[in-house]
Amino acid sequence: MESEEIILVENALSNAFKPLPLPPDEIPDDDENYPVTILLFYQYIEPPWNDGEFKVAHKTVLRIAKENDINGRGRIAPEGLNCTLSGYAQNIRNFCSALRSWNTIFNETDFKLTDGVPYKQRFKALTIAKQKELVAYGLDGVKAPSLKHNSTEHVEAHEFHRLMQEPNAVVIDVRNAYETAIGHMAPPAGGAEFIDPKMRNSHEFPKWLNAPETKEKLKGKKVLMYCTGGIRCERASALLDQIEKTSSDFNTEGVCMVRGGIERYLKTFPTGGHWKGKNFLFDKRLEQMPTSKSEEELSTEVQSSCCICFKSWSQYRGGHKCSWSKCKVPVIVCDQCIAKDAPATTQLLCPLCVDGHDLRSLPLPDFVGDKRKLLEAEGAVESACDHTLKVRKRNGEFKEIVQSPSRRLFVGNLPYLVTASLIKSSLEGVDRIHWIMDQKTALFYGSAFVEMKTLAEASAAVKQASTGTKLMGRNLRVRFARNDTDWSPAHQETERPPLPGH
């Protein structure tokens, strides 16, 4: 018998730009029984932090966490911060408030708090790992689809629930297949179609989304997306939005993602709503379940099985993984098979490998080209500029490096008798020039940093040099330079490169 539907709308609401909820009143007698709070949050930064800002951010987050006795795991990248942390209830709230005080961007953050978690499920150490991107989509740097230009609608859990009842909608689970296996959305009969991309990891999502059969399935549909806490949907929806806006023959009826992900949905619908099974978690809780759903009801919803005996099972225990070297995703092994310590536990295959399912051979979208077209169409031409630098490797092959646009340029192959005036006559829009002197000999060997007045003028100079910019008979080498530090206050521009000792 199904439980009567309970909807706690207040649990669906984000706490961005709001005071955090007060900590619980109960205080046990000793530390070992004192419950902790689990905190999940992410915050994207756009434009991304430069190298200097990134270093400061990493040190600051570590300092604030240690000051408040917070442990857990996190990823920090130039594009932002993503963490799952644990600590005492008030300490967790102090940590969130300190982030807000340090950088106002964290006022936008939805801090998802779960109080009353058993003390034994706390994290015992703190790791904030430096990464290129928060989710491993392969969309770092200039390849990242713009979040500010993303027209995806963020809807609260109860509204997302209603949208799943619409017949012209599709619901995409943006998580990995092994997560989806133990629990996922199950829209009602006559409602939205559920779609599982069957990914081993997030790197495969852009390939799946770019496939013609995927676009055909999404064409003309209301597209609904969800993941554990929302972070994967941010990039996934932005990529879909970018592909749609730059395609002449592909249109949806709009894209929505649930604010706060499954985490908030299950707190809003304690009897489960349209959710079936368990929510896979990357902390010591291991999974989240509807709090008001009976064990009997949960057992009827299990669709996953042990990969040895194929008994119905939905728990990941023992750290077992697929034995194929190119897969290695977690697999389910039941307690009985673990107890037998069967040799088969070293030769396991996940359901995707058993079915021979593989997305790796599919082509990727043109990330940079689509982003350029989108930003140019929306009037953000300067942000759309990029430059591909070809560097000859020792074996004679060329390696392409996509450089981030910057007002600062590296200009090489300058004549030794060059002057600042000559550079300014060759490159339109020069603001400042810094001659590069050899550190050992203090001599000038024909290179300089040149800062342009605008990004558009810098991009034009790079583009012009790719077809040939001559100065005193020499072809200049012009490319974007790193722009993560300020020019020294003591810098004084000179008309000519200085002589040694001057």
Side-chain angles (χ1 to χ4, degrees):
M1 180 177 178
E2 292 190 3
S3 304
E4 182 181 351
E5 185 121 286
I6 301 171
I7 306 176
L8 304 177
V9 175
E10 64 275 15
N11 289 344
L13 305 179
S14 166
N15 54 40
F17 298 106
K18 298 176 184 176
L20 296 173
L22 295 174
D25 295 329
E26 302 83 6
I27 302 178
D29 295 333
D30 59 280
D31 283 351
E32 289 190 0
N33 293 318
Y34 201 119
V36 297
T37 295
I38 298 291
L39 167 66
L40 283 74
F41 75 95
Y42 67 88
Q43 181 60 55
Y44 276 104
I45 307 294
E46 192 173 289
W49 285 317
N50 60 40
D51 283 0
E53 293 167 336
F54 181 48
K55 291 176 183 177
V56 170
H58 186 234
K59 290 180 180 179
T60 302
V61 173
L62 285 173
R63 175 182 59 78
I64 295 174
K66 290 176 181 177
E67 287 175 353
N68 290 282
D69 195 23
I70 303 296
N71 289 327
R73 293 194 296 258
R75 294 168 66 97
I76 189 168
E79 65 182 13
L81 180 65
N82 178 31
C83 294
T84 301
L85 306 173
S86 67
Y88 293 134
Q90 188 58 59
N91 289 12
I92 286 285
R93 286 157 172 84
N94 292 344
F95 171 83
C96 298
S97 298
L99 282 182
R100 288 176 169 181
S101 297
W102 166 61
N103 191 327
T104 56
I105 190 68
F106 288 99
N107 288 316
E108 301 176 9
T109 307
D110 182 14
F111 293 105
K112 293 175 280 293
L113 304 165
T114 301
D115 293 310
V117 176
Y119 183 79
K120 64 181 180 181
Q121 293 182 359
R122 76 197 187 284
F123 287 104
K124 296 180 181 179
L126 175 67
T127 303
I128 306 294
K130 293 181 180 180
Q131 303 289 343
K132 290 183 178 180
E133 55 181 331
L134 297 183
V135 180
Y137 280 123
L139 295 173
D140 55 302
V142 296
K143 293 182 289 185
S146 173
L147 299 179
K148 290 183 178 179
H149 292 80
N150 183 10
S151 57
T152 295
E153 183 181 1
H154 292 62
V155 300
E156 312 294 358
H158 54 290
E159 174 62 12
F160 193 83
H161 180 85
R162 185 193 66 77
L163 290 171
M164 282 192 282
Q165 300 169 21
E166 295 188 1
N168 194 45
V170 294
V171 184
I172 304 175
D173 192 324
V174 188
R175 301 173 302 154
N176 301 319
Y178 63 84
E179 299 171 71
T180 306
I182 66 168
H184 55 80
M185 294 294 182
E193 176 189 0
F194 172 74
I195 299 178
D196 175 13
K198 296 185 177 180
M199 302 176 292
R200 288 179 172 83
N201 53 56
S202 295
H203 247 92
E204 296 182 346
F205 181 80
K207 295 183 176 183
W208 174 82
L209 189 59
N210 191 50
E213 53 268 31
T214 301
K215 294 178 181 178
E216 189 61 33
K217 191 177 283 284
L218 305 186
K219 188 182 295 183
K221 300 289 187 178
K222 183 78 171 180
V223 179
L224 313 177
M225 288 185 171
Y226 71 88
C227 60
T228 307
I231 187 169
R232 285 179 273 190
C233 285
E234 295 284 2
R235 277 281 183 247
S237 65
L239 182 59
L240 173 57
D241 182 73
Q242 179 172 284
I243 291 174
E244 180 178 357
K245 287 177 178 176
T246 54
S247 301
S248 58
D249 59 348
F250 172 58
N251 290 287
T252 70
E253 288 298 316
V255 182
C256 294
M257 60 171 280
V258 58
R259 196 187 306 276
I262 304 165
E263 205 269 350
R264 280 208 182 279
Y265 183 89
L266 291 185
K267 287 181 178 179
T268 305
F269 293 89
T271 52
H274 295 321
W275 176 267
K276 302 299 179 185
K278 303 175 181 179
N279 178 26
F280 184 97
L281 296 176
F282 294 91
D283 57 57
K284 291 193 175 182
R285 293 174 295 170
L286 300 178
E287 63 253 334
Q288 176 190 18
M289 291 165 280
T291 55
S292 298
K293 180 168 282 189
S294 68
E295 287 291 336
E296 182 182 354
E297 287 179 280
L298 276 173
S299 65
T300 64
E301 296 174 0
V302 175
Q303 298 179 3
S304 52
S305 60
C306 171
C307 66
I308 296 178
C309 68
F310 304 108
K311 171 185 177 181
S312 178
W313 202 257
S314 61
Q315 295 180 342
Y316 288 94
R317 301 291 188 272
H320 299 288
K321 294 186 177 181
C322 180
S323 60
W324 185 39
S325 61
K326 295 182 180 180
C327 182
K328 297 296 184 182
V329 303
V331 294
I332 297 172
V333 180
C334 70
D335 286 347
Q336 289 81 359
C337 288
I338 291 176
K340 290 177 183 177
D341 195 25
T345 56
T346 61
Q347 301 173 358
L348 305 175
L349 288 179
C350 72
L352 297 183
C353 287
V354 171
D355 294 340
H357 180 80
D358 192 8
L359 298 172
R360 295 170 188 234
S361 61
L362 297 178
L364 286 166
D366 181 5
F367 301 127
V368 178
D370 286 348
K371 182 177 181 180
R372 182 192 298 112
K373 286 190 289 186
L374 174 59
L375 294 176
E376 287 177 346
E378 297 189 2
V381 179
E382 289 190 2
S383 299
C385 300
D386 66 272
H387 179 59
T388 302
L389 175 67
K390 283 192 174 183
V391 178
R392 186 186 293 274
K393 299 163 69 174
R394 289 185 178 180
N395 61 6
E397 297 178 354
F398 283 97
K399 177 181 179 181
E400 289 192 348
I401 300 175
V402 179
Q403 297 180 297
S404 299
S406 162
R407 288 197 300 121
R408 189 174 301 179
L409 306 175
F410 170 83
V411 181
N413 203 33
L414 290 164
Y416 289 175
L417 299 179
V418 71
T419 64
S421 298
L422 285 171
I423 292 179
K424 291 177 180 178
S425 66
S426 299
L427 303 176
E428 184 176 346
V430 173
D431 185 27
R432 291 189 290 179
I433 298 172
H434 186 285
W435 307 110
I436 300 176
M437 313 304 292
D438 185 87
Q439 292 184 351
K440 293 183 178 179
T441 65
L443 295 174
F444 174 71
Y445 288 114
S447 301
F449 286 120
V450 175
E451 187 162 295
M452 309 298 280
K453 295 176 182 177
T454 67
L455 184 57
E457 288 170 319
S459 300
V462 170
K463 185 175 182 180
Q464 177 186 337
S466 67
T467 58
T469 299
K470 287 186 177 291
L471 179 59
M472 298 176 66
R474 286 175 174 255
N475 284 316
L476 300 184
R477 296 196 302 271
V478 182
R479 64 174 186 264
F480 293 118
R482 287 173 51 179
N483 195 26
D484 54 8
T485 55
D486 292 331
W487 290 57
S488 168
H491 170 71
Q492 294 182 351
E493 185 173 315
T494 58
E495 177 65 10
R496 297 177 182 276
L499 296 173
H502 288 71

